[in-house]
């Protein structure tokens, strides 16, 4: 398998988990592939936009601020404040995003992905790849 | 006019929702479709050419769409091949569709993860050393190599010679699978040299000076490397056939010594072929002719000339040389030699000269450690073998005595290598060891070494040696 195929296959697992947590149980493989492709392109878009913002700021390494601006640019943060007022402390968009991550949909996605959910702990989850590998081994050897 | 059928356009328009489409509209659209497809294909071909490929891939099309600012087509990244199924419309008109069965997500999620491909790396390994292919995992095994050489076309010359041979000898049952021999081209000079040297060394009638000259030349001359395999083979042959002639064996050992001494030879790959003759001369059962020695019974088939002991000593020293030089580079050399010698030493069925050879052989290979670990514990047991011979004045008394002196000799090594020379007691009386009387010490010594050997060692009057033996013996108990 070439490198890109490996990455695509891994991403497909994640895409399938996302769809599963949304309630879809089965689909045609071409649909899953198309969805995975979308996911890949979206992530690439986020990445390139972040890089562009960083370079505009004269940096070669992207920082958090670049990522945030990219997320806003791409339209992930709603409502978007076009007229940035330095005194404006409106964090409604970011709050909405954080609330989503704490919300039931994200929790369900974590459950499907096999992450243990601890009470009150929201922050960083385990390394997804390591957890998926462990899960895959467990499921494939105990069958 | 265009490749695209109007019907195709109409089908697509129906699927989109436009029910009736005019003929001309369809035709125009068809031309436009063709133009767009050409455009995309041209960009894709450029990508393909720049990537130095000749097969157009989906990635090229994606890149072309990106460059033309067209919305990308999703879902063509996958490496799974598209399978086309056939369904007929009834009038023998097959419709092809992409076979795409629904797949359950649980299966997809729980499927085993793909194997990560290894990075490109490279390492080196020995393909052949001095013409010999080592049996390491990276090299093909002999069966594989034979299979590979069968499939490769043989050279034209060998084919003609083989066919000629088979036609010339229709009556003989020569198998045609004769492997073409590798011809080794030796100069006339070298061939002559080899003949002269080998005959002069093995010829009993030549004088000593000539033989010494031959050996000296072998020892010093550079440029003889090509003859090395022939010399090694010569030694092995003569040793196996010349077991009766002590002279031959001695000469072969001298020849081996000369070969080992020569700096310009890379002799390492031949060490394993040189060892068997050396071992033969060391622990062979019956070296030299069965002609009797001066005083012992002439009718005893077991008596041998005492000169073979000198040969065995020489072989042992050769073995020591080999181990010193090549013991580090080959992991199995020393263990193998030690095992052989030990086996022969401990086998009571073997004749006494073999034991003699194996004793000095063990000491030569392993030095002090071998003596301490291998010989010392077995000395007492060995008593049982030589004691009856010496006590009963049996026919093999001289041999047994030689073995005894060999044992004592190697045990002396225990001490010599430690301090370089013992210290004899004053007035020939062994000095009193602290904390033990002389009698006790002697008893201890005899307990470790057995009666005969113990007596001999005691007679040597070397305190350090006695101490060393008791120490070593004490460990074992």
């Amino acid at each position: 398998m070439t490198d890109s195929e490996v990455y695509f296959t891994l991403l497909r697992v994640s895409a399938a988990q996302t769809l599963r947590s949304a309630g879809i149980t089965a689909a045609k493989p071409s649909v899953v592939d198309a969805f995975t492709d979308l996911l890949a392109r979206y992530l690439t878009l986020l990445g390139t936009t972040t890089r562009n913002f960083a370079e505009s700021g004269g940096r070669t390494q992207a920082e958090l601020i670049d990522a945030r601006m990219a997320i806003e640019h791409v339209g992930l943060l709603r409502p978007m404040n076009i007229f940035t007022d330095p005194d404006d402390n409106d964090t409604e968009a970011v709050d909405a995003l954080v609330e989503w991550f704490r919300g039931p949909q994200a929790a369900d996605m974590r459950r499907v992905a096999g992450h243990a959910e601890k009470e009150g702990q929201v922050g960083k989850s385990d390394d997804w790849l390591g957890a998926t590998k462990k899960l895959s081994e467990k499921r494939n050897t105990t069958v | 006019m265009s490749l695209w059928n109007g019907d195709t356009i109409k089908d697509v328009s129906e699927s989109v929702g436009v029910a009736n489409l005019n003929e001309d509209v369809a035709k125009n659209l068809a031309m436009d479709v063709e133009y767009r497809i050409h455009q995309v294909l041209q960009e894709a071909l450029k990508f393909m050419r720049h990537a130095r490929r000749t097969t157009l891939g989906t990635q090229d099309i994606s890149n072309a769409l990106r460059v033309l600012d067209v919305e990308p087509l999703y879902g063509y990244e996958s490496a799974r091949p598209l399978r086309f199924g056939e369904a007929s419309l009834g009038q023998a008109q097959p419709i092809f569709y992409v076979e795409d069965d629904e797949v359950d997500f649980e299966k997809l999620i729980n499927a085993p993860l793909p194997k990560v491909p290894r990075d490109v790396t490279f390492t080196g390994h020995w393909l052949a050393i001095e013409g010999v292919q080592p049996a390491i995992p990276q090299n093909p095994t002999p069966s594989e190599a034979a299979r590979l050489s069968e499939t490769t076309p043989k050279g034209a010359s060998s084919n003609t010679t083989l066919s000629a041979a088979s036609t010339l000898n229709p009556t003989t049952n020569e198998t045609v699978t004769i492997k073409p021999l590798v011809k080794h081209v030796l100069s006339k000079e070298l061939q002559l040299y080899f003949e002269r040297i080998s005959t002069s060394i093995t010829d009993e009638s030549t004088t000593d000076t000539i033989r010494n000259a031959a050996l000296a030349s072998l020892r010093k001359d550079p440029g003889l490397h090509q003859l090395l395999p022939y010399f090694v083979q010569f030694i092995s042959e003569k040793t196996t056939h010349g077991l009766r002639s002590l002279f031959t064996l001695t000469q072969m050992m001298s020849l081996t010594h000369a070969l080992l001494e020569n700096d310009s030879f890379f002799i390492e790959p031949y060490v394993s072929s040189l060892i068997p003759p050396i071992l033969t001369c060391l622990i062979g059962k019956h070296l030299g002719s069965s002609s009797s020695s001066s005083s012992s019974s002439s009718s005893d088939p077991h008596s041998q000339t005492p000169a073979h002991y000198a040969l065995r000593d020489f072989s042992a020293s050769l073995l020591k040389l080999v181990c010193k030089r090549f013991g580090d580079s080959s992991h199995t050399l020393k263990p193998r030699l030690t095992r052989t010698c030990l086996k022969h030493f401990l086998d009571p069925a073997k004749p006494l000269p073999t034991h003699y050879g194996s004793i000095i052989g063990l000491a030569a290979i392993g030095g002090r450690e071998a003596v301490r670990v291998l010989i010392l514990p077995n000395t007492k047991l060995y008593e049982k073998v030589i004691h009856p011979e010496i006590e009963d004045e049996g026919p093999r008394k001289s041999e047994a005595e030689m073995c005894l002196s060999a044992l004592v000799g190697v045990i002396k090594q225990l001490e010599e290598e430690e301090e370089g020379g013992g210290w004899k007691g004053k007035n020939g009386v062994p000095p009193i060891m602290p904390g033990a009387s002389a009698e006790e010490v002697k008893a201890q010594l005899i307990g470790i070494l057995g009666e005969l050997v113990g007596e001999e060692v005691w007679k040597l009057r070397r305190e350090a040696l006695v101490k060393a033996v008791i120490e070593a013996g004490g460990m074992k108990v």
Side-chain angles (χ1 to χ4, degrees):
Chain A
M1 259 205 180
T2 63
D3 277 358
S4 55
E5 286 168 24
V6 175
Y7 300 145
F8 190 79
T9 316
L10 287 174
L11 192 60
R12 192 173 28 212
V13 176
S14 190
Q17 285 172 350
T18 313
L19 288 173
R20 178 80 187 79
S21 70
I24 308 170
T25 45
K28 294 207 169 121
S30 55
V31 171
V32 182
D33 285 343
F35 188 71
T36 316
D37 200 6
L38 266 173
L39 187 55
R41 283 177 201 260
Y42 196 65
L43 290 172
T44 315
L45 179 64
L46 278 173
T48 36
T49 321
T50 312
R51 186 204 65 204
N52 289 338
F53 275 116
E55 280 175 3
S56 304
R59 276 168 273 123
T60 50
Q61 293 273 58
E63 306 238 321
L64 185 60
I65 186 74
D66 305 315
R68 187 210 183 281
M69 279 159 76
I71 293 179
E72 216 177 64
H73 189 89
V74 148
L76 206 48
L77 293 180
R78 310 265 172 112
M80 201 172 78
N81 203 348
I82 311 175
F83 309 103
T84 43
D85 189 359
D87 296 330
D88 185 10
N89 288 328
D90 181 19
T91 55
E92 190 186 327
V94 183
D95 288 336
L97 190 66
V98 174
E99 273 309 310
W100 183 85
F101 271 108
R102 289 192 183 136
Q105 200 173 15
D108 202 47
M109 282 209 274
R110 270 180 235 125
R111 181 193 60 84
V112 173
H115 284 188
E117 183 61 35
K118 294 195 190 97
E119 284 295 315
Q121 189 209 29
V122 200
K124 292 191 186 133
S125 52
D126 300 326
D127 160 42
W128 177 84
L129 187 59
T132 312
K133 263 204 305 212
K134 267 188 279 179
L135 207 60
S136 162
E137 276 166 25
K138 190 174 70 174
R139 282 179 187 158
N140 283 319
T141 50
T142 54
V143 163
Chain B
M1 241 190 324
S2 96
L3 289 169
W4 295 92
N5 216 343
D7 292 330
T8 320
I9 308 291
K10 283 217 191 86
D11 288 332
V12 175
S13 70
E14 269 171 30
S15 75
V16 173
V18 179
N20 350 355
L21 203 64
N22 208 340
E23 275 281 333
D24 295 321
V25 175
K27 274 213 201 83
N28 268 308
L29 277 174
M31 283 198 284
D32 198 50
V33 161
E34 194 176 334
Y35 171 70
R36 298 284 169 215
I37 295 203
H38 275 288
Q39 210 181 9
V40 171
L41 272 180
Q42 284 211 315
E43 292 296 323
L45 280 172
K46 280 191 216 162
F47 274 103
M48 180 192 83
R49 228 173 290 123
H50 279 280
R52 304 270 195 273
R53 276 181 277 119
T54 49
T55 34
L56 191 67
T58 48
Q59 197 55 36
D60 300 322
I61 305 275
S62 303
N63 292 334
L65 290 173
R66 182 82 193 83
V67 156
L68 291 168
D69 278 333
V70 175
E71 174 131 354
L73 295 170
Y74 297 112
Y76 287 99
E77 286 271 326
S78 163
R80 273 202 308 255
L82 288 174
R83 288 215 330 262
F84 292 99
E86 205 179 313
S88 68
L89 269 181
Q91 301 130 341
Q93 245 186 356
I95 281 194
F96 293 98
Y97 64 95
V98 179
E99 270 181 15
D100 214 11
D101 297 324
E102 276 201 5
V103 104
D104 198 20
F105 277 172
E106 294 298 320
K107 228 179 13 164
L108 203 59
I109 295 175
N110 296 339
L113 291 178
K115 271 174 35 177
V116 182
R118 288 176 62 175
D119 240 351
V120 177
T121 55
F122 61 91
T123 58
H125 72 91
W126 285 106
L127 181 61
I129 305 176
E130 293 273 323
V132 174
Q133 201 167 48
I136 47 178
Q138 291 95 337
N139 278 340
T141 59
S143 46
E144 276 177 11
R147 198 166 33 87
L148 280 173
S149 65
E150 268 172 36
T151 54
T152 55
K154 297 211 178 18
S157 55
S158 61
N159 268 338
T160 51
T161 48
L162 281 177
S163 55
S166 52
T167 51
L168 274 176
N169 307 318
T171 49
T172 58
N173 298 342
E174 282 193 56
T175 54
V176 196
T177 54
I178 304 171
K179 286 217 188 92
L181 292 171
V182 176
K183 280 213 289 215
H184 193 190
V185 182
L186 275 185
S187 66
K188 259 274 192 260
E189 208 177 34
L190 279 178
Q191 285 177 22
L192 206 58
Y193 180 82
F194 178 67
E195 271 176 51
R196 285 287 165 77
I197 297 269
S198 42
T199 46
S200 66
I201 289 183
T202 50
D203 196 353
E204 292 202 35
S205 56
T206 53
T207 60
D208 253 354
T209 41
I210 294 187
R211 266 184 263 133
N212 286 340
L215 288 173
S217 146
L218 271 176
R219 218 173 284 141
K220 289 284 159 54
D221 281 338
L224 297 173
H225 191 83
Q226 293 199 342
L227 290 175
L228 195 54
Y230 295 97
F231 273 122
V232 172
Q233 197 191 28
F234 179 66
I235 293 175
S236 315
E237 241 186 271
K238 284 286 167 177
T239 326
T240 43
H241 294 314
L243 279 179
R244 297 284 132 186
S245 158
L246 210 53
F247 173 74
T248 318
L249 294 175
T250 330
Q251 289 304 102
M252 286 303 110
M253 287 295 104
S254 314
L255 181 54
T256 318
H257 184 64
L259 288 177
L260 284 170
E261 290 257 298
N262 193 328
D263 285 333
S264 67
F265 284 158
F266 177 54
I267 210 167
E268 202 163 325
Y270 298 100
V271 167
S272 47
S273 342
L274 281 176
I275 296 274
I278 302 181
L279 277 179
T280 314
C281 292
L282 179 69
I283 48 185
K285 281 190 246 197
H286 193 109
L287 296 178
S289 63
S290 51
S291 65
S292 56
S293 57
S294 47
S295 50
S296 16
S297 43
S298 46
S299 53
D300 191 340
H302 288 290
S303 74
Q304 296 164 38
T305 52
H308 70 99
Y309 289 113
L311 174 63
R312 293 181 199 267
D313 288 330
F314 188 24
S315 313
S317 68
L318 270 181
L319 213 55
K320 193 168 180 185
L321 184 67
V322 168
C323 282
K324 200 165 57 162
R325 269 171 69 176
F326 304 108
D328 293 325
S329 50
S330 160
H331 291 291
T332 55
L333 182 67
K334 271 180 156 173
R336 273 197 338 232
L337 290 171
T338 320
R339 214 172 290 141
T340 319
C341 287
L342 193 61
K343 203 169 64 165
H344 286 270
F345 176 43
L346 295 176
D347 188 355
K350 296 257 167 24
L352 289 168
T354 308
H355 294 167
Y356 175 85
S358 41
I359 294 171
I360 50 177
L362 274 175
I365 298 169
R368 187 161 51 114
E369 277 309 309
V371 175
R372 191 181 351 183
V373 175
L374 295 170
I375 298 189
L376 216 49
N378 298 315
T379 318
K380 192 153 186 214
L381 240 67
Y382 192 63
E383 269 289 293
K384 297 205 178 81
V385 177
I386 48 177
H387 199 97
E389 301 291 332
I390 294 186
E391 285 291 311
D392 307 333
E393 298 282 326
R396 295 201 279 272
K397 179 172 180 214
S398 54
E399 296 172 0
E401 277 176 348
M402 290 299 292
C403 290
L404 184 60
S405 60
L407 270 175
V408 176
V410 303
I411 289 177
K412 261 203 275 188
Q413 263 193 12
L414 259 186
E415 180 245 357
E416 268 165 22
E417 292 190 39
E418 237 175 48
E419 272 143 47
W423 75 235
K424 298 199 166 59
K426 299 193 182 72
N427 306 327
V429 175
I432 308 291
M433 310 230 302
S437 70
E439 280 308 313
E440 276 178 26
V441 171
K442 183 173 181 188
Q444 238 181 336
L445 196 65
I446 291 185
I448 295 172
L449 294 174
E451 226 180 80
L452 285 172
V453 187
E455 279 287 339
E456 295 291 323
V457 172
W458 184 253
K459 278 192 227 153
L460 289 175
R461 302 243 184 276
R462 290 168 106 104
E463 180 187 351
L465 175 61
V466 174
K467 248 201 243 169
V469 172
I470 292 183
E471 222 177 307
M475 271 169 30
K476 207 26 175 65
V477 170

